[in-house]
Amino acid sequence: MGSQPAALENDQVASAFGHGLQSHFLMDLDYRNLNHGSFGTIPRAIQAKMREYQDRAEARPDPFILYDYFDLLEQSQSAVAKLLEAPRETVVFVSNASMGVNTILRNMVWDADLKDEILHFDTIYGGCGNTVDYMVESSYGRVSSRVIHLSYPCEDSKIVSAFQDAVQASIRDGKRPRICIFDVVTSVPGVRFPFEAVTAACKEAGILSLIDGAQGIGMVGLNLSRTDPDFFVSNCHKWLHVPRGCAVLYVPLRNQHLMRSPLPTSHGFISKPRPGQPVAQRNAPVPMKSPSHFLNNFNFVGTLDNSPYLCVKDSIQWRHDVLGGEDRILAYQRDLARKGGRLVAEALGTWVLDNEAGTLTDCAMVNIPLLFGIVPDGTVSDEDRNRVGSRGENDEQVHYVIPREHAAKVTAWIKETLMDEYNTFIMIYTYHDRWFARISAQVYLDEDDFRWAGMTLRAVSERVVRERPMCS
């Protein structure tokens, strides 16, 4: 874990975790926020800091935007770099992890021999998967992509082996694996990925590593100097209690020359010399005072409300002063997710998605299968199509099977019912023909929330059988 901020002052004692912390946050107290992993939330104290920065920008726009902003930004960059165990000159902020992934891939120069290949796992976040597809589509054949298939639950070593097999398959096919994209914690299913081991495997194979840590900082311990990826991005607005949208983008010094431009290209860009033409000297409205071209390139990309970036240092300090620091937070979230997951599984009569080593649940999210399975269209009798209660033959824990043609409608109905009638949201998804619930642990939750989630999911599951939403 990265170094901590200054010690607590005035013998301040860290707050107890659980429902007593909810008054620090902005949530409706009648709403159970069991899906922190999607959008995060912020403490009232951090909202006040964000509004303070916004008010200062409105009170004295030019002095704040042209001068004060950069000093405050440097403080936040220093704070997050310290937390990540990374040099300050290697970190900048972007609006979200998808922006970071796009920035990296769109700066890549693909070889004209048409052999370059992007590797990624089938658990890639949908938006990033679409970005890979667009890069392939827009490159005029210069780059292709290769999917590495996984089947959870599996051990970390199997994931590394699958990556190594994909590298060899790419080479056998006459391709050149250039870069591999993988997660810290995957979105669906929400499990910890062996990103350190895969980064090392990339280095051994001579392939660039791009870690999509959208679910990362504030949830999992990170040490970028030790892991040493080629590129890393992580949302601060999910688990670090920073306002939306803010993500940290890490590029080590050895790769900064590859990042020619932020998105959009702005005042920090320096064009390459062209034969017979001088390099254009254009006036920049903001001071480019950093000795680092990388920082100048990314620190100002046009007029935006970047107050969330300035709040990073304040959020890290708040987590230390009020919550007791990163180690305490991460331990509570991980333990609550594991204990809470078992409570939900017990209520449903199912199990927790994990491997024998327990590494999949070494994070703050947990995945529990529901009572339903999916069967291919046409494999259920006409009578069973109109009756959800057909029992699975091959899995005693799949109590009911539903034709694939109805799967999307059932998923939407469960989510909407949870929101409209139970005042909560739980990420419901299908994976390998089984419905799962993904639940996030957080400092303002406790085991009672997971007990309630288990009973609620049981009740909603029984309603799917009884009310047959796919037939409405």
Side-chain angles (χ1 to χ4, degrees):
M1 177 56 58
S3 302
Q4 296 288 321
L8 299 175
E9 297 180 358
N10 301 323
D11 297 322
Q12 184 176 2
V13 178
S15 299
F17 292 135
H19 287 189
L21 275 177
Q22 291 185 357
S23 61
H24 286 271
F25 290 86
L26 297 160
M27 295 174 298
D28 180 347
L29 295 181
D30 293 326
Y31 178 79
R32 290 184 189 257
N33 190 5
L34 302 177
N35 188 40
H36 186 98
S38 282
F39 304 109
T41 192
I42 58 172
R44 296 178 185 277
I46 301 306
Q47 183 195 56
K49 291 298 297 185
M50 179 175 67
R51 289 179 173 172
E52 174 190 326
Y53 299 133
Q54 292 170 334
D55 289 347
R56 288 174 61 180
E58 298 307 319
R60 305 174 73 239
D62 292 280
F64 184 82
I65 295 171
L66 296 178
Y67 298 97
D68 297 348
Y69 168 78
F70 291 97
D71 293 335
L72 294 167
L73 183 67
E74 182 177 333
Q75 294 172 29
S76 275
Q77 288 170 336
S78 296
V80 79
K82 190 174 184 180
L83 185 61
L84 292 172
E85 300 279 6
R88 189 186 72 80
E89 63 271 19
T90 63
V91 298
V92 293
F93 293 116
V94 292
S95 56
N96 52 57
S98 295
M99 177 66 78
V101 170
N102 270 264
T103 299
I104 293 161
L105 290 180
R106 290 169 189 260
N107 273 286
M108 294 289 293
V109 178
W110 311 111
D111 200 288
D113 65 6
L114 313 184
K115 292 183 179 181
D116 286 343
E117 196 160 64
I118 302 170
L119 305 185
H120 67 84
F121 292 82
D122 58 4
T123 50
I124 190 172
Y125 180 65
C128 295
N130 289 340
T131 301
V132 172
D133 292 345
Y134 177 75
M135 297 309 301
V136 172
E137 179 183 300
S138 61
S139 70
Y140 302 100
R142 291 194 175 202
V143 65
S144 58
S145 64
R146 183 177 299 264
V147 180
I148 306 170
H149 295 281
L150 300 176
S151 182
Y152 284 111
C154 62
E155 301 303 317
D156 291 350
S157 59
K158 189 170 184 178
I159 296 173
V160 175
S161 294
F163 163 76
Q164 293 169 332
D165 291 345
V167 171
Q168 293 305 312
S170 176
I171 294 171
R172 284 196 305 270
D173 291 345
K175 295 292 186 177
R176 180 190 306 109
R178 281 282 306 279
I179 189 169
C180 184
I181 307 172
F182 49 94
D183 302 282
V184 171
V185 175
T186 60
S187 179
V188 287
V191 296
R192 193 186 192 281
F193 191 86
F195 62 95
E196 301 100 331
V198 175
T199 299
C202 284
K203 196 179 299 292
E204 182 179 356
I207 298 171
L208 294 172
S209 55
L210 166 49
I211 301 180
D212 174 13
Q215 310 267 5
I217 191 170
M219 193 231 273
V220 173
L222 299 165
N223 184 324
L224 296 187
S225 292
R226 182 172 62 236
T227 305
D228 194 29
D230 289 296
F231 307 100
F232 172 89
V233 62
S234 188
N235 285 322
C236 299
H237 61 247
K238 286 184 182 283
W239 294 91
L240 200 63
H241 299 129
V242 172
R244 308 176 196 99
C246 175
V248 56
L249 172 63
Y250 161 86
V251 181
L253 294 176
R254 67 178 181 272
N255 291 328
Q256 289 183 1
H257 69 283
L258 300 175
M259 297 296 99
R260 295 278 298 131
S261 171
L263 296 179
T265 301
S266 194
H267 297 287
F269 178 75
I270 300 176
S271 62
K272 294 180 179 179
R274 304 172 199 171
Q277 297 183 30
V279 175
Q281 300 293 325
R282 299 184 177 95
N283 291 327
V286 296
M288 298 292 170
K289 62 180 184 179
S290 174
S292 165
H293 170 59
F294 176 67
L295 295 182
N296 284 333
N297 213 359
F298 281 83
N299 280 356
F300 188 86
V301 292
T303 304
L304 297 167
D305 180 6
N306 287 334
S307 53
Y309 299 177
L310 308 184
C311 292
V312 171
K313 64 184 186 311
D314 304 305
S315 292
I316 293 172
Q317 190 68 51
W318 182 86
R319 286 161 65 88
H320 179 261
D321 292 348
V322 178
L323 303 183
E326 298 300 314
D327 291 341
R328 183 172 184 257
I329 297 167
L330 270 56
Y332 178 80
Q333 291 175 165
R334 180 186 62 248
D335 293 346
L336 177 59
R338 285 174 166 169
K339 293 176 183 176
R342 291 194 291 269
L343 292 171
V344 175
E346 181 180 344
L348 290 170
T350 59
W351 38 274
V352 173
L353 181 64
D354 204 356
N355 55 18
E356 291 186 7
T359 59
L360 301 184
T361 58
D362 188 14
C363 60
M365 295 197 294
V366 66
N367 306 263
I368 309 97
L370 302 184
L371 305 176
F372 317 125
I374 299 173
V375 292
D377 300 344
T379 63
V380 182
S381 67
D382 291 339
E383 180 182 359
D384 285 338
R385 285 182 181 278
N386 295 318
R387 189 182 78 248
V388 185
S390 56
R391 294 186 177 274
E393 297 294 333
N394 299 321
D395 186 347
E396 62 182 5
Q397 293 178 327
V398 175
H399 295 186
Y400 305 101
V401 292
I402 296 172
R404 191 179 308 281
E405 64 190 78
H406 298 315
K409 192 170 185 178
V410 170
T411 300
W413 184 88
I414 295 173
K415 289 180 178 179
E416 292 167 7
T417 299
L418 288 169
M419 286 189 295
D420 296 342
E421 300 183 30
Y422 295 89
N423 211 13
T424 192
F425 185 90
I426 296 174
M427 176 57 69
I428 305 296
Y429 64 95
T430 56
Y431 179 70
H432 288 187
D433 289 342
R434 185 72 185 260
W435 269 273
F436 281 83
R438 188 196 78 189
I439 304 178
S440 299
Q442 189 43 240
V443 294
Y444 49 72
L445 300 175
D446 59 28
E447 291 182 24
D448 285 342
D449 294 294
F450 283 82
R451 291 189 182 91
W452 180 89
M455 293 186 295
T456 300
L457 287 169
R458 181 83 192 193
V460 172
S461 297
E462 291 171 351
R463 288 181 60 183
V464 170
V465 177
R466 187 171 62 251
E467 299 178 23
R468 298 180 295 174
M470 74 290 296
C471 300
S472 59

